[in-house]
Amino acid sequence: RDPSETMASYAFSRVELAVRCTGLVNLDRFSKSDPMCVLFSKKQGMWTEEGRTEVIRDNLNPKFAKTFVLPYHFEEEQPLKLGVYDVDSPSRDLKKHDFIGEAEFSMASVVVAGKEFVMNLTRPGHSSVRGKAHLTAEEVEESKSDVEFLIRGSNLDKKDFFGKSDPYLEISRGREDNSFILVFRTEVLKNTLNPRWKPFTISGQKLCNGDYDRPLKFTVWDWDKFVCSPNSFTACLHNSS
């Protein structure tokens, strides 16, 4: 094998970036903002979109299940930019959504941080902070397996004054620093204390980064559009995959 090919194969790795935000400004008049994060990389002096998270409704402290997987080149600067938007319609045109703020950073700065890398979100030309973005990075370990889940709950706590709870489930995976990052969120089931969520499948890489001894956390919340995250806590289960 050509030695140059061997060197090239070790010149980069794939890194997964997980994002959450705190203290976002509220841009909606009668409810809270519906934030979405967009990641850009700078290539030949131009910002190019790399991907988007899901939209989190009515939440100023969102945790996003959608992550970004990018190549990490050890000897390159790799400038990145994270933009946060308040989504107002199904349009993919970012100009049709309210801009909350952005932050520029390098891939290396997140990787070497070890724990969370925290940035202030601002508008270009303005110094006022409009929230914070928290990023964590982890090298991707390839896994070709998938894990299928069929989950239900029974006899959950009643959290709503005028009705039953509106439960949804979050699955988080453990990290080496004993923190957890969100990997999946189910749909919300309205007005039930015995939810049965739709079956879903998660890749082994997404679920536990290929390490099936890694701890997982299953958390059930009661959705309430009038409550800022975290919503009313219902139950939490720690287990290993």
Side-chain angles (χ1 to χ4, degrees):
R1 185 176 181 179
D2 188 335
S4 63
E5 294 181 0
T6 303
M7 289 295 292
S9 66
Y10 290 94
F12 70 93
S13 62
R14 297 173 71 232
V15 169
E16 182 181 31
L17 297 179
V19 186
R20 69 183 182 96
C21 296
T22 56
L24 297 179
V25 295
N26 187 19
L27 301 182
D28 289 349
R29 183 182 298 272
F30 299 110
S31 62
K32 296 183 173 67
S33 296
D34 305 319
M36 172 185 71
C37 291
V38 184
L39 184 68
F40 302 87
S41 64
K42 183 174 283 189
K43 299 176 181 178
Q44 298 180 342
M46 301 290 292
W47 288 111
T48 302
E49 182 177 327
E50 295 288 348
R52 304 181 181 190
T53 66
E54 74 275 22
V55 178
I56 306 295
R57 299 294 179 186
D58 296 301
N59 201 316
L60 304 181
N61 299 282
K63 293 188 301 182
F64 298 97
K66 172 71 169 61
T67 56
F68 305 102
V69 177
L70 299 170
Y72 172 45
H73 299 275
F74 302 114
E75 297 183 357
E76 295 183 12
E77 184 178 1
Q78 286 186 262
L80 300 172
K81 179 173 67 174
L82 186 75
V84 183
Y85 296 82
D86 175 22
V87 175
D88 296 319
S89 72
S91 174
R92 288 192 56 83
D93 185 354
L94 294 177
K95 295 180 180 179
K96 296 186 180 299
H97 306 299
D98 294 330
F99 178 63
I100 295 177
E102 65 182 19
E104 295 185 23
F105 60 103
S106 68
M107 175 73 86
S109 61
V110 185
V111 172
V112 302
K115 295 185 178 181
E116 278 193 330
F117 182 74
V118 184
M119 307 177 296
N120 289 331
L121 297 169
T122 60
R123 291 182 297 172
H126 296 78
S127 60
S128 60
V129 177
R130 296 166 63 83
K132 294 182 180 294
H134 306 248
L135 286 83
T136 56
E138 186 171 2
E139 185 175 2
V140 171
E141 299 294 339
E142 298 297 339
S143 174
K144 297 181 179 180
S145 61
D146 295 325
V147 180
E148 184 175 352
F149 288 87
L150 181 60
I151 300 179
R152 66 182 181 89
S154 60
N155 300 318
L156 298 183
D157 287 343
K158 180 178 179 296
K159 295 294 185 180
D160 292 349
F161 187 76
F162 294 108
K164 300 176 182 179
S165 297
D166 304 320
Y168 65 95
L169 171 75
E170 291 183 346
I171 301 178
S172 303
R173 75 171 187 238
R175 288 169 42 87
E176 292 182 357
D177 61 2
N178 295 320
S179 65
F180 283 83
I181 62 170
L182 179 66
V183 298
F184 186 82
R185 180 185 291 111
T186 68
E187 74 278 12
V188 176
L189 297 181
K190 294 290 189 177
N191 199 36
T192 178
L193 302 181
N194 299 285
R196 184 184 294 270
W197 290 283
K198 295 178 181 178
F200 56 90
T201 300
I202 308 177
S203 71
Q205 186 281 314
K206 180 71 172 176
L207 179 66
C208 59
N209 206 19
D211 177 6
Y212 288 92
D213 292 323
R214 182 175 297 213
L216 299 177
K217 181 170 66 173
F218 296 76
T219 310
V220 179
W221 300 95
D222 173 32
W223 181 84
D224 187 342
K225 70 178 181 179
F226 298 110
V227 177
C228 192
S229 179
N231 300 148
S232 304
F233 176 76
T234 301
C236 180
L237 170 66
H238 288 257
N239 207 338
S240 62
S241 51

